[in-house]
């Protein structure tokens, strides 16, 4: 599942963060998120790449 | 299941080589970068590498930004520069649920055909373990989802998806194309999931595409629908079998009176009778006569016979002895004819069957060579598997000599092979058509001859009974004729 800048989709912030937390604990899937927001990195410290 | 494991973008410019690499793990992967740093290009490159740009529309243009296709801007030692892209390429390593890997490589810019995909059966970027297994496939061309060298067929097999068949608006049914499924796995920046229905590729002409893809991905009614479809197909097959059986029965009924039934449609029809009604004809004096005409003749003969006095056996003996001799001779001759006809029928049937098997094999070879021609025309240098030293069926190494003969000779080019097989098909189809015609003619003639032999035998039996009966009794032969 690939999300390209999901926070530009007017997502509800709490729901979005909850989805990320859930995704982080789920190893039987693969979710790729691109973002310009540094705050997201802390949620996925293991597999995060900062290209900035 | 499909996981992207590694992405490699290679851009060759007049100012040197640029590009990026990215690893992806299970679970959550976050790629953070400032705006305009190329995040969208990174994920769109993955989609492009998998040949999925068709989900955005029918255009065949490369859906990537100028940095990958035309020019890129860079900074070196604090100085800004602009580099012209000479050629560029994207490669991805992917993994399936069986822990198998595949590496897919596709040109973005440059001379290489953009519909050509080079596939390595393993990790060719991170491990260099499958470099000798490269094979070219194609995308965005007819057959990409169904043919052996179609990349989307290879990809769906790799993922392990058994895609359902989907009805289209104006064309025959097709598999539920991968381009219709991937919008559910790729939430792109501009439209997001909020406008998901607008993102389904309607240009593929699949009816209810949104419903079908969601059903398939979530496994909702897909199974029940598949079962229902199977049941309907079975019912259609049953009706066809019954129709075929009734048709055969009608033909047998016709042959029991040395006749043939013509005009019953091969496939079931909804209303009866058809526009041209079926007919029943019987063979009389080596000609097919409609049954109505034959019946009228019989009725006339019946009227005639009613007015004739039945002769006694004694009176009729000289005449019927002569007729018996003639009938027995006729019977022997017809039985010889039947034996010869049967032999011909058997030979023709065996020949027709052998020709059909040959045609099937040629058609299969032709399909493979057409696929190969397609990727060759796109610039691939792949040869037929047999030329590469692999069995085209089981894909094992194929040693065609005990000695090293150096470069193997290629007797014909792919184009020549395609032309050769096309000519072979035309030739064999014509020969097969003739063989089938001979089989059908022999079969009809055989039935008619057998019917006439049965009639002859009845007549001979009547005459013999007349000859052994009391001389004053009425002639059984004459009565039988009545």
């Amino acid at each position: 599942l690939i999300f390209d800048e999901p926070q530009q989709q007017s997502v509800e912030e709490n729901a979005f963060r909850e989805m990320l937390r859930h995704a982080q604990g789920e190893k039987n899937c693969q979710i790729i998120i691109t973002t310009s927001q540094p705050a997201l990195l802390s949620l996925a410290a293991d597999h995060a790449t900062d290209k900035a | 299941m499909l996981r992207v494991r590694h992405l490699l973008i290679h851009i060759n410019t007049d100012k040197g080589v640029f590009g990026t690499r990215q690893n992806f793990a299970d679970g959550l992967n976050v790629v953070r970068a400032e705006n305009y740093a190329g995040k969208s290009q990174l994920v769109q490159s993955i989609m492009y590498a998998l040949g999925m740009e068709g989900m955005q529309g029918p255009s065949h243009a490369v859906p990537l930004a100028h940095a990958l296709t035309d020019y890129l801007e860079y900074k070196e030692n604090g100085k800004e520069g602009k580099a012209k892209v000479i050629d560029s390429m994207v490669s991805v390593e992917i993994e399936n649920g069986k822990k198998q890997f595949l590496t897919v490589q596709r040109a973005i810019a440059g001379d290489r055909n953009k519909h050509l995909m080079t596939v390595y059966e393993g990790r060719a970027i991170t491990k260099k373990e499958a470099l000798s297994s490269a094979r070219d496939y194609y995308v965005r061309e007819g057959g990409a989802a169904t043919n052996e060298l179609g990349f989307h067929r290879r990809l769906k097999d790799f993922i392990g998806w058994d895609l359902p068949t989907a009805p289209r608006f104006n064309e025959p049914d097709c598999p539920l194309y991968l381009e219709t499924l991937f919008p559910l796995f790729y939430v792109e920046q501009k439209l997001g999931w909020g406008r998901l229905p607008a993102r389904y590729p309607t240009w593929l002409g699949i009816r209810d595409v949104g419903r079908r893809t969601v059903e398939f991905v979530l496994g909702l009614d897909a199974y029940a629908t598949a079962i229902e479809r199977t049941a309907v197909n079975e019912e259609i097959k049953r009706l066809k079998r019954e129709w075929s059986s009734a048709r055969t029965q009608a033909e047998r009924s016709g042959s029991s009176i040395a006749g043939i039934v013509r005009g019953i449609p091969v496939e079931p029809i909804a209303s009866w009778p058809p526009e041209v009604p079926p007919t029943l004809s019987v063979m009389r004096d080596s000609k097919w006569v409609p049954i109505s005409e034959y019946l009228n003749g019989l009725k006339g003969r019946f009227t005639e016979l009613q007015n004739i006095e039945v002769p006694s056996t004694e009176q009729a003996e000289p005449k019927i002895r002569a007729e018996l001799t003639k009938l027995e001779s006729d019977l022997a001759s017809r039985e010889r004819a039947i034996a010869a006809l049967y032999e011909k029928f058997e030979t023709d049937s065996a020949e027709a069957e052998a020709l059909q098997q040959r045609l099937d094999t040629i058609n299969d070879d032709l399909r493979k060579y057409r696929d190969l021609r397609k990727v060759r025309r796109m610039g691939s240098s792949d040869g037929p598997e047999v030329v590469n030293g692999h069995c085209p069926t089981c894909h094992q190494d194929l040693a065609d000599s005990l000695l090293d003969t150096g470069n193997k000779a290629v007797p014909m080019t792919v184009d020549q092979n395609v032309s050769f097989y096309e000519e072979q098909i035309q030739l064999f189809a014509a020969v097969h058509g003739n063989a089938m015609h001979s089989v059908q003619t022999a079969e009809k003639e055989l039935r008619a001859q057998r019917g006439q032999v049965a009639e002859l035998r009845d007549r001979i039996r009547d005459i013999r009974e007349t000859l052994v009966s009391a001389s004053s009794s009425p002639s059984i032969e004459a009565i039988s004729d009545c």
Side-chain angles (χ1 to χ4, degrees):
Chain A
L1 187 59
I2 297 176
F3 291 97
D4 187 10
E5 290 278 15
Q7 284 156 300
Q8 290 186 9
Q9 306 296 322
S10 309
V11 292
E12 207 279 300
E13 193 62 24
N14 288 337
F16 179 66
R17 284 179 173 274
E18 189 53 41
M19 188 276 285
L20 288 184
R21 254 189 288 276
H22 178 77
Q24 199 182 20
E26 182 58 71
K27 295 295 174 196
N28 193 25
C29 69
Q30 186 181 51
I31 298 173
I32 299 170
I33 295 178
T34 67
T35 183
S36 52
Q37 301 197 6
L40 274 188
L41 287 174
S42 60
L43 284 169
D46 291 345
H47 307 304
T49 305
D50 194 343
K51 296 267 184 184
Chain B
M1 187 197 84
L2 177 69
R3 306 277 163 88
V4 180
R5 287 303 181 210
H6 194 87
L7 170 77
L8 169 66
I9 295 173
H10 182 98
I11 309 166
N12 187 25
T13 74
D14 61 349
K15 300 280 171 32
V17 174
F18 294 80
T20 188
R21 281 171 174 269
Q22 183 67 52
N23 281 314
F24 298 99
D26 287 338
L28 185 60
N29 296 265
V30 177
V31 179
R32 197 205 81 79
E34 296 303 327
N35 288 333
Y36 305 108
K39 300 183 297 296
S40 295
Q41 293 307 300
L42 187 123
V43 287
Q44 279 189 19
S45 294
I46 296 174
M47 289 296 126
Y48 177 75
L50 298 176
M52 290 301 159
E53 72 275 17
M55 70 186 190
Q56 294 166 356
S59 167
H60 284 236
V62 175
L64 297 169
H66 61 78
L68 292 160
T69 58
D70 194 9
Y71 67 90
L72 59 80
E73 289 154 353
Y74 66 96
K75 267 187 186 173
E76 195 176 30
N77 302 325
K79 273 179 69 181
E80 286 187 357
K82 196 170 173 180
K84 182 174 165 43
V85 174
I86 298 167
D87 57 57
S88 58
M89 192 165 279
V90 57
S91 308
V92 284
E93 277 181 7
I94 52 178
E95 183 185 355
N96 65 11
K98 295 177 183 168
K99 308 272 180 213
Q100 294 166 329
F101 291 88
L102 216 58
T103 304
V104 186
Q105 193 175 66
R106 188 177 182 189
I108 300 171
D111 294 337
R112 189 173 162 83
N113 192 301
K114 310 302 176 293
H115 291 184
L116 209 52
M117 318 279 283
T118 302
V119 175
Y120 301 85
E121 301 288 326
R123 285 171 283 194
I125 309 172
T126 56
K127 300 271 184 187
K128 311 287 180 199
E129 65 187 9
L131 295 176
S132 62
S133 68
R135 180 137 194 93
D136 288 332
Y137 290 78
Y138 57 86
V139 283
R140 307 303 310 276
E141 299 273 343
T146 51
N147 288 355
E148 206 169 322
L149 290 184
F151 175 68
H152 281 178
R153 173 176 154 176
R154 179 75 188 88
L155 183 59
K156 69 109 184 156
D157 288 343
F158 179 75
I159 297 171
W161 275 345
D162 187 10
L163 296 178
T165 302
R168 282 194 284 186
F169 287 106
N170 296 316
E171 289 177 88
D173 292 357
C174 65
L176 195 57
Y177 294 125
L178 292 181
E179 289 101 325
T180 66
L181 296 166
F182 270 64
L184 293 171
F185 302 112
Y186 174 44
V187 186
E188 54 94 57
Q189 189 178 0
K190 289 175 189 159
L191 297 173
W193 255 344
R195 290 177 62 194
L196 191 60
R199 293 170 46 226
Y200 285 120
T202 50
W203 66 274
L204 292 164
I206 294 175
R207 289 174 192 264
D208 297 331
V209 62
R211 183 174 62 81
R212 286 174 200 284
T213 51
V214 170
E215 273 179 1
F216 176 75
V217 171
L218 299 183
L220 293 179
D221 289 339
Y223 185 60
T225 308
I227 287 178
E228 196 181 334
R229 189 178 296 121
T230 307
V232 169
N233 280 334
E234 285 303 312
E235 179 66 4
I236 290 170
K237 278 185 198 163
R238 190 187 65 77
L239 286 170
K240 281 186 176 178
R241 273 199 305 273
E242 268 187 28
W243 180 275
S244 175
S245 166
R247 193 169 176 268
T248 308
Q249 190 61 40
E251 282 173 357
R252 278 194 192 138
S253 303
S255 67
S256 67
I257 55 160
I260 54 165
V261 177
R262 290 193 181 108
I264 299 181
V266 177
E267 294 286 320
I269 55 172
S271 61
W272 189 266
E275 251 177 64
V276 180
T279 57
L280 170 63
S281 305
V282 287
M283 188 172 261
R284 282 293 169 269
D285 301 326
S286 302
K287 280 183 190 168
W288 293 109
V289 180
I291 191 73
S292 51
E293 194 179 307
Y294 176 60
L295 277 174
N296 286 337
L298 281 181
K299 282 174 187 166
R301 175 72 179 144
F302 180 70
T303 312
E304 274 176 31
L305 288 170
Q306 275 183 322
N307 298 324
I308 296 172
E309 193 183 333
V310 177
S312 68
T313 301
E314 193 177 10
Q315 287 169 326
E317 188 182 344
K319 184 187 154 217
I320 60 178
R321 275 199 185 281
E323 191 183 350
L324 179 62
T325 309
K326 184 181 170 299
L327 288 177
E328 283 175 338
S329 160
D330 199 9
L331 178 64
S333 141
R334 281 188 188 273
E335 280 177 337
R336 278 196 301 277
I338 284 179
L341 257 179
Y342 188 71
E343 198 174 317
K344 183 176 181 327
F345 171 74
E346 290 277 279
T347 312
D348 288 350
S349 297
E351 191 187 335
E353 197 177 324
L355 284 165
Q356 184 57 56
Q357 282 174 1
R358 180 77 183 125
L359 263 175
D360 291 345
T361 309
I362 297 173
N363 267 316
D364 196 40
D365 286 344
L366 177 61
R367 190 178 45 74
K368 286 178 182 169
Y369 272 99
R370 277 183 175 156
D371 248 13
L372 191 62
R373 181 175 65 180
K374 199 174 266 186
V375 293
R376 280 283 190 87
R377 284 180 179 171
M378 291 175 188
S380 170
S381 56
D382 280 357
E385 283 186 75
V386 73
V387 175
N388 289 339
H390 298 289
C391 169
T393 306
C394 66
H395 306 289
Q396 291 185 43
D397 288 345
L398 188 70
D400 53 2
S401 170
L402 292 173
L403 300 170
D404 183 6
T405 54
N407 289 334
K408 293 184 180 75
V410 182
M412 285 199 285
T413 65
V414 173
D415 280 335
Q416 285 169 337
N417 264 303
V418 169
S419 304
F420 173 73
Y421 281 125
E422 282 171 347
E423 284 166 15
Q424 288 278 295
I425 283 173
Q426 277 186 357
L427 176 70
F428 276 92
V431 179
H432 181 254
N434 286 340
M436 283 308 291
H437 183 69
S438 294
V439 169
Q440 284 159 1
T441 308
E443 199 177 6
K444 281 177 189 167
E445 218 172 309
L446 204 54
R447 274 205 302 265
Q449 290 283 6
R450 279 176 175 156
Q452 295 214 333
V453 162
E455 280 184 18
L456 275 175
R457 284 191 177 132
D458 286 349
R459 183 87 178 139
I460 288 170
R461 192 185 61 240
D462 290 343
I463 290 175
R464 282 180 179 155
E465 278 180 23
T466 299
L467 288 173
V468 296
S469 61
S471 58
S472 58
S473 60
S475 162
I476 297 171
E477 175 269 337
I479 294 168
S480 167
D481 199 19
C482 295

